Coordinates of all heavy atoms in Angstrom, one line a residue:
A1 N 0.8 -1.2 0.0 CA 0.0 0.0 0.0 C 0.9 1.2 0.0 O 1.8 1.3 0.8 CB -0.9 0.0 1.2
D2 N 0.5 2.2 -0.8 CA 1.3 3.5 -0.9 C 0.8 4.4 0.2 O -0.4 4.8 0.3 CB 1.0 4.1 -2.3 CG 1.9 5.4 -2.4 OD1 2.7 5.6 -1.5 OD2 1.7 6.1 -3.4
D3 N 1.7 4.7 1.1 CA 1.3 5.6 2.2 C 1.8 7.1 2.0 O 1.9 7.9 2.9 CB 1.9 5.1 3.6 CG 3.4 5.1 3.6 OD1 4.0 5.5 2.6 OD2 4.0 4.6 4.6
G4 N 2.1 7.4 0.7 CA 2.5 8.7 0.3 C 3.9 9.1 0.9 O 4.2 10.3 1.0
G5 N 4.7 8.1 1.3 CA 6.0 8.4 1.8 C 6.1 8.5 3.3 O 7.2 8.6 3.9
W6 N 4.9 8.5 4.0 CA 4.9 8.6 5.4 C 5.4 7.3 6.0 O 4.9 6.2 5.7 CB 3.5 8.9 6.0 CG 3.1 10.3 5.6 CD1 2.3 10.6 4.5 CD2 3.4 11.5 6.2 NE1 2.1 12.0 4.5 CE2 2.8 12.5 5.5 CE3 4.2 11.8 7.3 CZ2 2.9 13.9 5.9 CZ3 4.3 13.1 7.7 CH2 3.7 14.1 7.0
G7 N 6.4 7.4 6.9 CA 6.9 6.2 7.6 C 7.8 5.3 6.7 O 8.2 4.3 7.1
A8 N 8.1 5.8 5.5 CA 9.0 5.0 4.6 C 10.4 5.0 5.1 O 10.9 6.0 5.6 CB 8.9 5.6 3.2
E9 N 11.1 3.9 5.0 CA 12.5 3.8 5.4 C 13.3 4.4 4.3 O 13.0 4.3 3.1 CB 12.9 2.3 5.6 CG 12.2 1.7 6.7 CD 12.6 2.3 8.1 OE1 13.8 2.5 8.2 OE2 11.7 2.5 8.9
P10 N 14.4 5.1 4.7 CA 15.3 5.6 3.6 C 15.9 4.5 2.9 O 16.1 3.4 3.4 CB 16.4 6.4 4.5 CG 16.3 5.9 5.9 CD 14.9 5.4 6.0
A11 N 16.3 4.7 1.6 CA 16.8 3.7 0.7 C 18.2 3.2 1.2 O 18.5 2.0 1.1 CB 16.9 4.2 -0.7
V12 N 19.0 4.1 1.8 CA 20.3 3.7 2.3 C 20.4 4.2 3.8 O 20.1 5.3 4.1 CB 21.4 4.4 1.5 CG1 22.8 4.2 2.1 CG2 21.3 4.0 0.0
A13 N 20.7 3.3 4.7 CA 20.8 3.6 6.1 C 22.0 4.6 6.2 O 23.1 4.3 5.7 CB 21.0 2.4 6.9
A14 N 21.8 5.6 7.0 CA 22.9 6.5 7.3 C 24.0 5.9 8.2 O 23.6 5.2 9.1 CB 22.4 7.8 7.9
E15 N 25.2 6.1 7.9 CA 26.3 5.5 8.7 C 26.4 6.4 10.0 O 26.3 7.6 9.9 CB 27.6 5.5 8.0 CG 27.7 4.5 6.9 CD 27.6 3.1 7.4 OE1 28.3 2.8 8.4 OE2 26.9 2.3 6.8
P16 N 26.6 5.8 11.1 CA 26.8 6.7 12.3 C 28.1 7.5 12.2 O 29.1 7.0 11.6 CB 26.9 5.7 13.5 CG 27.3 4.4 12.8 CD 26.7 4.4 11.4
A17 N 28.1 8.6 12.8 CA 29.3 9.5 12.7 C 30.4 8.8 13.6 O 30.1 8.1 14.5 CB 29.1 10.9 13.3
A18 N 31.7 9.0 13.1 CA 32.8 8.4 13.9 C 32.8 9.0 15.3 O 32.4 10.1 15.5 CB 34.1 8.7 13.2
A19 N 33.2 8.1 16.3 CA 33.1 8.5 17.7 C 34.4 9.3 18.1 O 34.8 9.2 19.2 CB 32.9 7.3 18.6
V20 N 35.1 9.9 17.1 CA 36.3 10.6 17.4 C 35.9 11.9 18.1 O 35.1 12.7 17.6 CB 37.1 10.9 16.1 CG1 38.4 11.8 16.4 CG2 37.5 9.6 15.5
P21 N 36.5 12.2 19.3 CA 36.2 13.5 19.9 C 36.6 14.7 19.1 O 37.5 14.6 18.3 CB 37.0 13.4 21.2 CG 37.4 12.0 21.4 CD 37.4 11.4 20.1
A22 N 35.9 15.8 19.2 CA 36.2 17.0 18.5 C 37.6 17.5 18.8 O 38.3 18.0 17.9 CB 35.2 18.1 18.8
D23 N 38.0 17.3 20.0 CA 39.4 17.7 20.4 C 40.3 16.5 20.5 O 40.1 15.7 21.5 CB 39.3 18.4 21.8 CG 39.5 19.9 21.7 OD1 39.8 20.4 20.6 OD2 39.4 20.5 22.7
F24 N 41.1 16.3 19.6 CA 42.1 15.2 19.7 C 43.4 15.5 19.0 O 43.4 16.5 18.2 CB 41.5 13.9 19.1 CG 41.3 13.9 17.6 CD1 42.3 13.4 16.8 CD2 40.2 14.4 17.0 CE1 42.2 13.4 15.4 CE2 40.0 14.4 15.6 CZ 41.0 13.9 14.8
Y25 N 44.4 14.8 19.3 CA 45.7 15.0 18.7 C 46.1 13.8 17.9 O 45.5 12.7 18.1 CB 46.8 15.3 19.8 CG 46.5 16.5 20.6 CD1 45.6 16.4 21.7 CD2 47.0 17.7 20.3 CE1 45.4 17.5 22.5 CE2 46.8 18.8 21.0 CZ 45.9 18.8 22.1 OH 45.6 19.9 22.9
V26 N 47.1 14.0 17.0 CA 47.6 12.8 16.2 C 49.0 12.7 16.5 O 49.8 13.7 16.6 CB 47.4 13.0 14.7 CG1 48.0 11.9 13.9 CG2 45.9 13.2 14.3
A27 N 49.5 11.4 16.8 CA 50.8 11.1 17.1 C 51.3 10.0 16.2 O 50.6 9.2 15.7 CB 51.0 10.8 18.6
T28 N 52.6 10.0 16.0 CA 53.3 8.9 15.2 C 53.9 7.9 16.3 O 54.5 8.4 17.2 CB 54.4 9.4 14.3 OG1 53.8 10.3 13.4 CG2 55.1 8.3 13.6
V29 N 53.6 6.6 16.0 CA 54.2 5.6 16.9 C 55.6 5.4 16.6 O 56.0 5.2 15.5 CB 53.4 4.3 16.8 CG1 54.0 3.2 17.7 CG2 51.9 4.5 17.1
L30 N 56.5 5.5 17.6 CA 57.9 5.4 17.5 C 58.4 4.0 17.7 O 59.4 3.5 17.1 CB 58.7 6.3 18.5 CG 58.4 7.8 18.4 CD1 59.1 8.6 19.5 CD2 58.8 8.3 17.0
Y31 N 57.7 3.2 18.6 CA 58.2 1.9 18.9 C 56.9 1.0 19.0 O 55.9 1.4 19.5 CB 58.9 1.8 20.3 CG 59.9 2.9 20.4 CD1 59.7 4.0 21.2 CD2 61.2 2.9 19.7 CE1 60.6 5.1 21.3 CE2 62.1 3.9 19.9 CZ 61.8 5.0 20.7 OH 62.7 6.0 20.8
D32 N 57.1 -0.3 18.7 CA 56.0 -1.3 18.9 C 55.7 -1.4 20.4 O 56.6 -1.3 21.3 CB 56.4 -2.7 18.4 CG 56.5 -2.7 16.9 OD1 56.0 -1.8 16.2 OD2 57.0 -3.7 16.4
Y33 N 54.4 -1.5 20.8 CA 54.0 -1.8 22.1 C 52.9 -2.8 22.2 O 51.9 -2.7 21.4 CB 53.6 -0.5 22.8 CG 53.1 -0.7 24.2 CD1 53.9 -0.9 25.3 CD2 51.7 -0.7 24.5 CE1 53.5 -1.1 26.5 CE2 51.2 -1.0 25.8 CZ 52.1 -1.2 26.8 OH 51.7 -1.4 28.1
A34 N 53.1 -3.9 22.9 CA 52.1 -4.9 23.1 C 51.3 -4.6 24.4 O 51.9 -4.5 25.4 CB 52.7 -6.3 23.1
A35 N 50.0 -4.5 24.2 CA 49.1 -4.2 25.4 C 49.3 -5.3 26.4 O 49.3 -6.5 26.1 CB 47.7 -4.1 24.9
A36 N 49.5 -4.9 27.7 CA 49.7 -5.8 28.8 C 48.5 -5.9 29.6 O 48.3 -6.9 30.4 CB 50.9 -5.3 29.7
E37 N 47.5 -5.0 29.5 CA 46.3 -5.1 30.3 C 45.1 -4.9 29.3 O 45.3 -4.4 28.2 CB 46.2 -3.9 31.3 CG 47.4 -3.9 32.3 CD 47.3 -5.0 33.4 OE1 46.1 -5.5 33.6 OE2 48.3 -5.4 33.9
S38 N 43.9 -5.2 29.7 CA 42.7 -5.2 28.9 C 42.3 -3.7 28.5 O 41.6 -3.5 27.5 CB 41.5 -5.9 29.5 OG 41.2 -5.2 30.7
N39 N 42.8 -2.7 29.3 CA 42.5 -1.3 29.0 C 43.6 -0.6 28.2 O 43.5 0.6 28.1 CB 42.2 -0.6 30.3 CG 43.4 -0.5 31.2 OD1 44.4 -1.2 31.1 ND2 43.3 0.4 32.2
E40 N 44.5 -1.4 27.7 CA 45.6 -0.8 26.9 C 45.4 -1.2 25.4 O 44.7 -2.1 25.1 CB 47.0 -1.3 27.4 CG 47.3 -0.9 28.8 CD 48.6 -1.5 29.3 OE1 49.4 -2.1 28.5 OE2 48.8 -1.4 30.5
I41 N 46.1 -0.5 24.5 CA 46.1 -0.8 23.1 C 47.5 -1.2 22.6 O 48.5 -0.7 23.2 CB 45.4 0.3 22.3 CG1 46.3 1.6 22.4 CG2 44.0 0.5 22.7 CD1 45.8 2.7 21.5
N42 N 47.5 -1.9 21.5 CA 48.7 -2.2 20.8 C 49.1 -1.1 19.9 O 48.3 -0.4 19.3 CB 48.6 -3.5 19.9 CG 48.2 -4.7 20.8 OD1 48.9 -5.0 21.7 ND2 47.1 -5.4 20.4
L43 N 50.5 -0.8 19.9 CA 51.0 0.2 19.0 C 52.0 -0.5 18.0 O 52.7 -1.4 18.4 CB 51.7 1.3 19.8 CG 50.9 2.0 20.8 CD1 51.8 3.0 21.6 CD2 49.8 2.8 20.2
T44 N 52.0 0.0 16.8 CA 52.9 -0.5 15.8 C 53.8 0.7 15.2 O 53.2 1.7 14.8 CB 52.2 -1.2 14.6 OG1 51.4 -2.2 15.2 CG2 53.1 -1.7 13.6
A45 N 55.1 0.6 15.3 CA 56.0 1.6 14.9 C 55.7 2.1 13.5 O 55.4 1.3 12.6 CB 57.4 1.2 15.0
G46 N 55.6 3.4 13.3 CA 55.4 4.0 12.0 C 53.9 4.3 11.7 O 53.6 5.1 10.8
E47 N 53.0 3.8 12.5 CA 51.6 4.1 12.3 C 51.2 5.3 13.1 O 52.0 5.8 13.9 CB 50.7 2.9 12.8 CG 50.9 1.7 11.9 CD 50.0 0.5 12.3 OE1 49.4 0.6 13.4 OE2 49.8 -0.4 11.5
E48 N 50.0 5.8 12.8 CA 49.6 7.0 13.6 C 48.5 6.5 14.6 O 47.9 5.5 14.4 CB 49.0 8.0 12.6 CG 50.0 8.7 11.8 CD 49.4 9.8 11.0 OE1 48.2 9.8 10.7 OE2 50.2 10.7 10.6
V49 N 48.4 7.3 15.7 CA 47.4 7.0 16.7 C 46.7 8.3 17.1 O 47.4 9.4 17.0 CB 48.1 6.4 18.0 CG1 49.2 7.3 18.6 CG2 47.1 5.9 19.0
Y50 N 45.4 8.3 17.3 CA 44.7 9.4 17.8 C 44.9 9.5 19.3 O 44.8 8.5 20.0 CB 43.2 9.3 17.5 CG 42.8 9.4 16.1 CD1 41.9 8.5 15.6 CD2 43.4 10.4 15.3 CE1 41.5 8.6 14.2 CE2 43.0 10.4 13.9 CZ 42.1 9.5 13.4 OH 41.7 9.6 12.1
V51 N 45.2 10.7 19.9 CA 45.4 10.9 21.3 C 44.2 11.7 21.8 O 43.9 12.8 21.3 CB 46.7 11.6 21.6 CG1 46.8 11.8 23.1 CG2 47.9 10.9 21.1
Y52 N 43.4 11.0 22.7 CA 42.2 11.7 23.2 C 42.3 12.3 24.5 O 41.6 13.3 24.8 CB 41.0 10.6 23.3 CG 40.6 10.0 21.9 CD1 40.1 8.7 21.9 CD2 40.8 10.6 20.7 CE1 39.7 8.1 20.7 CE2 40.4 10.1 19.5 CZ 39.9 8.8 19.5 OH 39.5 8.2 18.4
E53 N 43.2 11.8 25.3 CA 43.4 12.3 26.7 C 44.8 12.1 27.2 O 45.4 11.0 27.0 CB 42.4 11.6 27.6 CG 42.3 12.0 29.0 CD 41.4 11.3 29.9 OE1 40.7 10.4 29.4 OE2 41.3 11.6 31.1
F54 N 45.3 13.1 27.9 CA 46.6 13.0 28.5 C 46.3 12.6 30.0 O 46.0 13.5 30.8 CB 47.4 14.3 28.4 CG 47.6 14.8 27.0 CD1 46.8 15.8 26.5 CD2 48.5 14.1 26.2 CE1 47.0 16.2 25.1 CE2 48.7 14.6 24.9 CZ 47.9 15.6 24.3
I55 N 46.4 11.3 30.3 CA 46.0 10.8 31.6 C 47.0 11.3 32.7 O 46.6 11.8 33.7 CB 45.9 9.3 31.6 CG1 44.8 8.9 30.6 CG2 45.6 8.7 33.0 CD1 44.7 7.4 30.3
D56 N 48.3 11.0 32.5 CA 49.3 11.5 33.4 C 50.6 11.5 32.6 O 50.6 11.4 31.4 CB 49.4 10.7 34.7 CG 49.8 9.2 34.5 OD1 50.5 8.9 33.5 OD2 49.3 8.4 35.2
D57 N 51.7 11.7 33.3 CA 53.0 11.9 32.7 C 53.4 10.7 31.8 O 54.0 10.9 30.8 CB 54.1 12.2 33.7 CG 54.1 13.6 34.3 OD1 53.4 14.4 33.6 OD2 54.7 13.8 35.3
G58 N 53.0 9.5 32.2 CA 53.5 8.4 31.5 C 52.5 7.7 30.6 O 52.8 6.8 29.8
W59 N 51.2 8.0 30.7 CA 50.1 7.3 30.0 C 49.1 8.3 29.3 O 48.7 9.2 29.9 CB 49.4 6.4 30.9 CG 50.2 5.2 31.4 CD1 51.0 5.2 32.5 CD2 50.4 4.0 30.7 NE1 51.7 4.0 32.5 CE2 51.3 3.3 31.5 CE3 49.8 3.4 29.6 CZ2 51.7 2.0 31.1 CZ3 50.2 2.2 29.2 CH2 51.2 1.4 30.0
W60 N 48.8 7.9 28.1 CA 47.8 8.7 27.3 C 46.7 7.7 26.9 O 46.9 6.5 26.9 CB 48.4 9.3 26.1 CG 49.4 10.4 26.4 CD1 49.6 11.0 27.6 CD2 50.3 11.1 25.5 NE1 50.6 12.0 27.5 CE2 51.0 12.0 26.2 CE3 50.5 10.9 24.1 CZ2 52.0 12.9 25.6 CZ3 51.5 11.7 23.5 CH2 52.2 12.7 24.3
S61 N 45.6 8.2 26.5 CA 44.5 7.4 26.0 C 44.2 7.8 24.6 O 44.2 9.0 24.3 CB 43.2 7.7 26.9 OG 42.1 7.0 26.4
G62 N 43.9 6.8 23.8 CA 43.6 7.1 22.4 C 43.1 5.9 21.6 O 42.7 4.9 22.2
E63 N 43.3 6.0 20.3 CA 42.8 4.9 19.4 C 43.9 4.6 18.4 O 44.4 5.5 17.7 CB 41.5 5.4 18.7 CG 40.9 4.4 17.8 CD 39.6 4.8 17.2 OE1 39.1 5.9 17.7 OE2 39.1 4.2 16.3
N64 N 44.1 3.3 18.2 CA 45.1 2.9 17.2 C 44.5 2.7 15.8 O 43.2 2.9 15.7 CB 45.9 1.7 17.6 CG 45.1 0.5 17.7 OD1 43.9 0.4 17.3 ND2 45.6 -0.5 18.4
I65 N 45.2 2.4 14.8 CA 44.7 2.3 13.4 C 43.8 1.1 13.3 O 42.9 1.1 12.4 CB 45.9 2.2 12.5 CG1 45.5 2.6 11.0 CG2 46.6 0.8 12.5 CD1 46.6 2.8 10.1
A66 N 43.8 0.2 14.2 CA 42.9 -1.0 14.2 C 41.6 -0.7 14.9 O 40.7 -1.5 14.9 CB 43.6 -2.2 14.9
G67 N 41.5 0.5 15.4 CA 40.2 0.9 16.0 C 40.1 0.5 17.5 O 39.1 0.7 18.1
E68 N 41.2 0.0 18.1 CA 41.2 -0.3 19.5 C 41.4 1.0 20.3 O 42.2 1.9 19.9 CB 42.4 -1.2 19.9 CG 42.4 -2.5 19.2 CD 43.7 -3.3 19.3 OE1 44.8 -2.6 19.4 OE2 43.7 -4.5 19.4
V69 N 40.6 1.2 21.4 CA 40.6 2.4 22.2 C 41.1 2.0 23.6 O 40.6 1.0 24.2 CB 39.2 3.0 22.3 CG1 39.3 4.2 23.2 CG2 38.8 3.5 20.9
G70 N 42.1 2.7 24.1 CA 42.6 2.5 25.4 C 43.9 3.3 25.7 O 44.2 4.2 25.0
M71 N 44.6 2.8 26.7 CA 45.8 3.6 27.2 C 47.0 3.0 26.5 O 47.0 1.9 26.1 CB 45.9 3.4 28.7 CG 44.7 4.0 29.5 SD 44.8 4.0 31.3 CE 46.3 3.1 31.7
F72 N 48.0 3.9 26.5 CA 49.3 3.5 25.9 C 50.4 4.4 26.5 O 50.1 5.5 27.0 CB 49.4 3.5 24.4 CG 49.0 4.9 23.8 CD1 50.0 5.8 23.6 CD2 47.7 5.2 23.5 CE1 49.6 7.1 23.1 CE2 47.3 6.4 23.0 CZ 48.3 7.4 22.8
P73 N 51.7 3.9 26.6 CA 52.7 4.7 27.2 C 53.1 5.9 26.3 O 53.3 5.7 25.1 CB 53.9 3.7 27.3 CG 53.6 2.6 26.3 CD 52.1 2.6 26.2
S74 N 53.1 7.1 26.8 CA 53.3 8.3 26.0 C 54.7 8.4 25.4 O 54.8 9.0 24.4 CB 53.0 9.5 26.9 OG 53.9 9.6 28.0
N75 N 55.6 7.7 26.0 CA 57.0 7.8 25.5 C 57.2 6.9 24.3 O 58.3 6.9 23.7 CB 58.1 7.5 26.6 CG 57.9 6.2 27.2 OD1 56.9 5.5 27.1 ND2 59.0 5.7 27.9
F76 N 56.2 6.2 23.8 CA 56.3 5.4 22.6 C 55.8 6.1 21.4 O 55.8 5.6 20.3 CB 55.5 4.1 22.8 CG 56.2 3.0 23.6 CD1 56.6 3.2 24.9 CD2 56.5 1.8 23.0 CE1 57.3 2.2 25.6 CE2 57.2 0.8 23.7 CZ 57.5 1.0 25.0
V77 N 55.3 7.4 21.6 CA 54.7 8.1 20.5 C 55.3 9.5 20.5 O 55.8 10.0 21.5 CB 53.2 8.2 20.5 CG1 52.6 6.8 20.5 CG2 52.7 8.9 21.7
E78 N 55.2 10.2 19.3 CA 55.6 11.6 19.2 C 54.4 12.4 18.6 O 53.9 12.1 17.5 CB 56.8 11.7 18.3 CG 57.3 13.2 18.1 CD 58.5 13.2 17.3 OE1 58.8 12.3 16.5 OE2 59.2 14.2 17.4
L79 N 53.9 13.4 19.3 CA 52.8 14.2 18.9 C 53.2 15.0 17.7 O 54.3 15.5 17.5 CB 52.4 15.2 20.0 CG 51.5 14.7 21.1 CD1 51.2 15.9 22.0 CD2 50.2 14.2 20.5
H80 N 52.3 15.1 16.7 CA 52.5 16.0 15.5 C 52.4 17.5 16.0 O 51.6 17.8 16.9 CB 51.4 15.8 14.5 CG 51.6 14.4 13.9 ND1 50.9 14.1 12.7 CD2 52.2 13.3 14.2 CE1 51.2 12.9 12.4 NE2 52.0 12.3 13.2
Q81 N 53.2 18.3 15.4 CA 53.1 19.7 15.8 C 52.2 20.5 14.9 O 52.0 20.2 13.8 CB 54.5 20.4 15.7 CG 55.5 19.7 16.6 CD 55.2 19.9 18.0 OE1 54.7 20.9 18.5 NE2 55.4 18.8 18.8

């Protein structure tokens, strides 16, 4: 039955916006890092990582290229200027 377009589903479902915070930094990974805890992420030298939060002097929070979100040692990356 034609309902005149009322309640019709869109032909293509909209993709959700990426959950990247508006305020984030980009860093280059200097050294490989294997996550030791479930709240940490793996880092691969040469890749980029999004930095979302500066937790303390030694640990930052962010997202790696694989989409894993968690903490990582800040001395394994270099922030872009």
